[in-house]
Amino acid sequence: MITLKELTNKEDLFVSGHGLCPGCGIPVILKLVLRATEYPIVISNATGCLQVASTEFPATSWKLNWIHSSLGNAASTISGIETMYRVLKKQGKLQTDTEIKFLAIVGDGGTNDIGLSSLSGAIERGHDFVYLCYDNQSYANSGGQRSSASPIGTSTSTTPTGKVLPGKLQYKKDITKIIAAHKLPYVAQTAPWNWEDLYTKAKKAFDIEGPAYLNVLNPCPKEWKIPSNKSIELTRIAADTCVWPLYEIEAGKNININYKPENKLPVTEWLKRQNRFKHLLNVENRWIVDEIQNVIDQNWKCLLKQEKRGINN
Amino acid sequence: MEVIDGNFAIAEAIKQIGPDVVISYPQIPSILILESIASFIANGEMDSEFLNVDSDYSAMSACIGVAASGGRVFTATASQGLALMHETLFIASSLRLPIVMGITNRALAAPINFNADHSDSMAQRDSGWIQIFSENSQEAYDNIIQAFKIAENKDVRTPVMVGIDSTFAFNLHENVNVQTNDEILEFENKPDSNYSILDIENPKTVGSFCTPDYFFEHKINQNKGIESSRKVIKDVGREFGDRFNRYYGYFETYKLEDAEFAVILMSSAAGTAKKAVDEMRKKGEKVGLLKLRVFRPFPYKELGESLSNLKSIAVLDRVLTPGTYGGPLFIETMAALYSLEKRPLVYPYIYGLGGRDITLKHIEDIFDDIKKGFNNEKGNFEIKYINLRE
Ligand SMILES: Cc1ncc(C[n+]2csc(CCOP(=O)(O)OP(=O)(O)O)c2C)c(N)n1
Ligand code: SF4
Ligand SMILES: [Mg+2]
């Protein structure tokens, strides 16, 4: 296993000067993912916080080839690029001898909502690429609206809490399982508190041939309404409460759970630290918290069962 | 010479050009082009990579990916498909990617309709693409071949859409002169690409975020590409003619030199209009036709010069642009004429929506109409609808 020191000695391909918020999880996630392959990477980045904050013309934070087209098409854009790469290889016209890796980076809105068809299609076609979803559970760059990845009860700018409504009324999509249903070579869910887990999964995703999907919890001080110095440790609480389990699915079959909390915490530990959920702790919303806890427990049980028996049994 | 329809003519041109990648998403009737290409590939007659994607939006997105990697790419669509591509069309032209797309021009819903009109292409007229329209299968074949050369020219680097009316595209078989593969390859002669996202030695950030500090300059720079295409379209049309004896410019004039009255239109209706002109010429009428081929960039100067000596002209648009005083061709023609000292009276007509017929008789009636003149008051236009049920 690589050490942190070895990791820090690797060249940074995403450099500072960008405009991401203090405490934002994206740079931490990126620094680990971009170090997880020795090969050059070409990136297709969807519209969102990362794209806007890292490429304000004429500056750029990227020391590699990077393209942005629109919000819902990062996967189909990388499909075209990866296809052309294969064509050039076949024609013997590739300018370089080294292998190139392809990476799509998209937020939860671009993944769960507007780009789902583009992502699903690219996986179904079997392009050799890694898809990284950074899930901040919000349309963050457009001002913090609800996405289908926002958890039930979240107060967002389009599901505000009010005298009669308690925030978002629907459950979050289980996008990792939705993608896993494509039975692609590799799917993983991870979070930046566990750098080893994140790095190892990114490395596996790059190394495996064919499509790989990484769903990474991206703490967002701005939309989660948390202090910027608490963001990374909060993702650990997400794992300890089983709100965000760390697991991987290989070839659509075997599930490995990569972290099992010794002492599973109640969901209130996760909720109470974030002002986007503050209202849920009021007595009249007790039923929502109970339901959330219920669903988390069921999902966790299901995951443990699937680990034992394989996802398809 | 082959007897083929417009779809097959375009597929044939693509087979000969052999782009690196062809992207496909079903749409009636443009999918027939892509199906023919798929079967050429399945039979080993061409070896382009064929990519079936999940939507028209993804189709144009994948085209952007291929072209940004330095590849030659082709796709085809129509109607709803072109509408769904709207956002990405602007991205393709802004990133200066020489994509070529075949459009089997078809009405836009609602109500849904499979037949010819120009609503689909016209809705994209400000997308930054070069727009070429074809009268028949021969022109579609010739235009596709010229399109790559125009798009890839280093001063242009702008995507091109080549339209053919869907009626022609899928059920009218005609004689088409098909050049040999060698002739096409020699004509095409692809230059190096602008940039490639696969050039790992020279990392690039493509598609940045841009503040008001630079945005305006970016757009004006982009516009230089399509402006440069004015000369390139002419040169390529001439070279094509010198090689294959079929010459192309911004438009074709038919018996216009000594004409007093003329009809201006695009695409397949030109066939009928030419016959109408012939019939009326037999009766001694001084009538002619101007068939526009290149709608973007719009040839203001040349069009104005060709029309300024006429007495009156009818501009026939095959699209309804609600809330305007005439279709896009009418409005552009008016703009082309306005600054000229001598100019004809101009009358707006709309015809053929959703595949409605336009006959010889209709065009003869239009000529009679504009000879008599109607509604001559300045600034007061009355659009006439051809073959519309009362
Ligand atoms: C087609 C389209 N619709 C809407 C938008 C507006 N928009 C820009 S960024 C953004 C938020 C994207 O959210 P997400 O994918 O979660 O990324 P994040 O902003 O959270 O980084 C939205 C809705 C857009 N750019 N394009
Ligand atoms: S809004 Fe959230 S995701 Fe976006 S840069 Fe700020 S902290 Fe990061
Ligand atoms: Mg988001």
Side-chain angles (χ1 to χ4, degrees):
Chain A
M1 185 58 214
I2 196 155
T3 64
L4 256 188
K5 192 167 165 62
E6 283 164 346
L7 269 185
T8 32
N9 285 339
K10 286 194 175 186
E11 191 196 356
D12 235 334
L13 296 168
F14 178 78
V15 298
S16 54
H18 56 73
L20 292 161
C21 303
C24 175
I26 296 175
V28 182
I29 297 167
L30 263 185
K31 276 165 198 280
L32 288 163
V33 171
L34 298 182
R35 282 171 164 80
T37 177
E38 302 301 324
Y39 295 110
I41 306 172
V42 174
I43 291 179
S44 156
N45 193 178
T47 319
C49 280
L50 173 61
Q51 171 264 326
V52 169
S54 65
T55 65
E56 187 177 317
F57 187 86
T60 181
S61 286
W62 301 94
K63 292 173 80 175
L64 39 67
N65 274 314
W66 177 99
I67 188 169
H68 158 251
S69 174
S70 85
L71 177 53
N73 69 359
S76 27
T77 307
I78 206 98
S79 298
I81 298 170
E82 188 262 1
T83 301
M84 193 54 207
Y85 168 71
R86 280 186 286 112
V87 167
L88 286 171
K89 240 179 158 173
K90 197 173 93 184
Q91 295 172 344
K93 289 187 191 156
L94 202 61
Q95 299 286 349
T96 165
D97 301 331
T98 160
E99 200 177 310
I100 301 179
K101 295 291 179 186
F102 299 95
L103 174 65
I105 309 181
V106 188
D108 52 292
T111 300
N112 290 259
D113 296 332
I114 192 168
L116 187 55
S117 152
S118 160
L119 165 60
S120 172
I123 292 174
E124 182 262 343
R125 289 189 298 275
H127 295 285
D128 190 4
F129 77 115
V130 178
Y131 187 102
L132 168 67
C133 169
Y134 61 93
D135 182 4
N136 52 30
Q137 315 195 325
S138 161
Y139 281 107
N141 190 60
S142 45
Q145 298 81 24
R146 159 217 202 271
S147 85
S148 63
S150 310
I152 189 168
T154 316
S155 169
T156 75
S157 66
T158 49
T159 57
T161 48
K163 290 201 179 96
V164 293
L165 289 175
K168 186 184 171 185
L169 296 172
Q170 300 79 16
Y171 286 102
K172 179 181 171 59
K173 262 189 204 175
D174 191 350
I175 191 74
T176 306
K177 290 279 179 64
I178 292 170
I179 300 303
H182 291 71
K183 305 203 191 314
L184 64 168
Y186 189 68
V187 175
Q189 189 163 285
T190 177
W193 68 271
N194 190 333
W195 68 265
E196 266 184 299
D197 187 75
L198 208 167
Y199 172 82
T200 311
K201 285 172 176 170
K203 187 162 169 13
K204 270 192 194 173
F206 279 123
D207 288 348
I208 271 171
E209 212 183 304
Y213 176 83
L214 297 174
N215 201 27
V216 188
L217 185 62
N218 163 216
C220 167
K222 185 162 170 284
E223 300 310 334
W224 294 10
K225 310 199 166 46
I226 56 170
S228 55
N229 61 350
K230 298 286 182 218
S231 62
I232 301 297
E233 69 182 63
L234 190 60
T235 67
R236 182 182 185 126
I237 294 174
D240 282 332
T241 50
C242 297
V243 161
W244 192 270
L246 311 186
Y247 67 97
E248 61 191 350
I249 305 173
E250 280 163 356
K253 287 196 287 262
N254 305 323
I255 283 203
N256 303 315
I257 302 173
N258 313 95
Y259 175 76
K260 288 173 190 157
E262 266 166 42
N263 175 23
K264 180 167 168 291
L265 299 177
V267 70
T268 42
E269 292 302 310
W270 160 253
L271 300 173
K272 74 180 188 196
R273 289 175 163 77
Q274 305 174 58
N275 274 348
R276 62 175 172 154
F277 297 131
K278 190 177 62 182
H279 57 288
L280 294 181
L281 303 175
N282 299 342
V283 272
E284 70 273 18
N285 289 327
R286 183 72 227 177
W287 65 276
I288 302 179
V289 176
D290 288 346
E291 254 205 65
I292 296 174
Q293 186 66 63
N294 205 355
V295 169
I296 289 171
D297 294 346
Q298 275 176 25
N299 285 347
W300 181 242
K301 250 203 260 164
C302 169
L303 213 54
L304 290 168
K305 231 194 266 170
Q306 285 179 328
E307 186 184 38
K308 243 192 228 152
R309 302 199 309 224
I311 192 164
N312 298 320
N313 297 301
Chain B
M1 185 85 82
E2 290 183 27
V3 182
I4 49 180
D5 64 16
N7 278 314
F8 202 82
I10 293 176
E12 190 70 26
I14 294 304
K15 181 170 83 178
Q16 296 185 310
I17 290 161
D20 297 302
V21 186
V22 175
I23 313 272
S24 173
Y25 191 77
Q27 194 60 248
I28 295 170
S30 53
I31 190 58
L32 299 173
I33 303 171
L34 299 163
E35 287 171 350
S36 297
I37 294 171
S39 70
F40 293 150
I41 295 171
N43 289 313
E45 293 173 50
M46 63 186 280
D47 69 353
S48 303
E49 188 74 23
F50 194 88
L51 204 62
N52 284 293
V53 296
D54 52 277
S55 72
D56 322 83
Y57 170 59
S58 280
M60 186 43 59
S61 305
C63 285
I64 289 170
V66 173
S69 308
R72 239 189 198 170
V73 61
F74 174 80
T75 191
T77 191
S79 185
Q80 311 307 119
L82 186 58
L84 191 61
M85 285 180 185
H86 183 70
E87 181 195 19
T88 46
L89 295 179
F90 283 70
I91 293 163
S93 60
S94 306
L95 298 184
R96 303 292 295 274
L97 300 173
I99 298 162
V100 172
M101 175 157 62
I103 311 291
T104 51
N105 286 117
R106 207 189 103 182
L108 271 177
I112 199 146
N113 166 288
F114 294 148
N115 300 82
D117 75 30
H118 298 160
S119 335
D120 50 4
S121 281
M122 281 302 153
Q124 310 303 340
R125 63 191 185 272
D126 294 334
S127 64
W129 284 55
I130 293 168
Q131 294 186 310
I132 300 178
F133 289 82
S134 323
E135 179 183 333
N136 49 36
S137 307
Q138 180 72 61
E139 288 195 7
Y141 172 83
D142 294 348
N143 283 335
I144 287 283
I145 287 167
Q146 292 172 63
F148 282 93
K149 193 150 178 151
I150 295 164
E152 289 163 357
N153 181 287
K154 67 173 179 22
D155 297 327
V156 178
R157 309 242 202 240
T158 297
V160 179
M161 53 176 93
V162 173
I164 178 170
D165 286 347
S166 68
T167 350
F168 254 78
F170 77 122
N171 51 22
L172 266 169
H173 285 71
E174 303 175 289
N175 285 328
V176 175
N177 284 302
V178 173
Q179 306 307 135
T180 66
N181 292 354
D182 287 346
E183 284 172 329
I184 297 304
L185 287 181
E186 205 184 314
F187 177 76
E188 288 295 335
N189 198 7
K190 183 182 187 291
D192 287 343
S193 61
N194 206 359
Y195 58 85
S196 170
I197 199 82
L198 295 174
D199 176 8
I200 51 166
E201 306 299 330
N202 300 292
K204 267 171 280 308
T205 292
V206 177
S208 296
F209 168 66
C210 189
T211 62
D213 261 352
Y214 293 96
F215 187 85
F216 206 160
E217 285 76 13
H218 278 314
K219 297 316 282 183
I220 299 304
N221 273 331
Q222 176 194 336
N223 197 45
K224 287 179 189 158
I226 197 163
E227 281 304 320
S228 305
S229 78
R230 292 181 187 279
K231 177 171 184 311
V232 175
I233 290 167
K234 247 166 104 176
D235 293 348
V236 169
R238 194 180 312 112
E239 189 196 336
F240 188 89
D242 290 345
R243 282 174 188 260
F244 310 131
N245 210 19
R246 295 187 298 279
Y247 287 87
Y248 287 89
Y250 304 135
F251 47 76
E252 177 192 343
T253 57
Y254 188 75
K255 305 194 173 167
L256 198 67
E257 296 69 37
D258 64 337
E260 293 176 349
F261 304 96
V263 159
I264 322 293
L265 48 67
M266 303 193 300
S267 300
S268 64
T272 313
K274 283 174 189 167
K275 282 187 205 128
V277 167
D278 290 344
E279 289 304 312
M280 296 189 75
R281 283 268 170 182
K282 277 187 208 153
K283 293 180 217 151
E285 308 272 10
K286 290 196 154 180
V287 295
L289 165 75
L290 187 148
K291 176 190 80 187
L292 190 74
R293 172 183 178 238
V294 180
F295 187 80
R296 285 285 183 267
F298 196 86
Y300 292 96
K301 218 172 121 255
E302 297 79 2
L303 191 89
E305 280 165 10
S306 296
L307 299 176
S308 73
N309 285 323
L310 289 153
K311 282 195 178 142
S312 48
I313 60 176
V315 183
L316 275 60
D317 271 285
R318 197 166 193 174
V319 54
L320 186 71
T321 40
T324 61
Y325 64 94
L329 185 55
F330 171 77
I331 292 171
E332 301 285 8
T333 304
M334 292 289 276
L337 293 169
Y338 185 77
S339 62
L340 301 179
E341 241 162 63
K342 208 166 165 295
R343 54 180 188 238
L345 291 168
V346 191
Y347 298 103
Y349 286 82
I350 288 173
Y351 75 102
L353 299 191
R356 180 62 51 89
D357 273 349
I358 182 165
T359 62
L360 210 72
K361 173 83 170 63
H362 291 127
I363 300 201
E364 290 177 354
D365 288 349
I366 292 168
F367 276 121
D368 288 342
D369 223 20
I370 63 170
K371 261 166 55 192
K372 272 186 271 152
F374 62 95
N375 224 348
N376 284 349
E377 282 165 59
K378 270 197 178 152
N380 184 9
F381 302 99
E382 181 197 335
I383 301 173
K384 293 227 171 172
Y385 302 102
I386 304 169
N387 200 9
L388 175 73
R389 238 177 263 118
E390 292 295 308

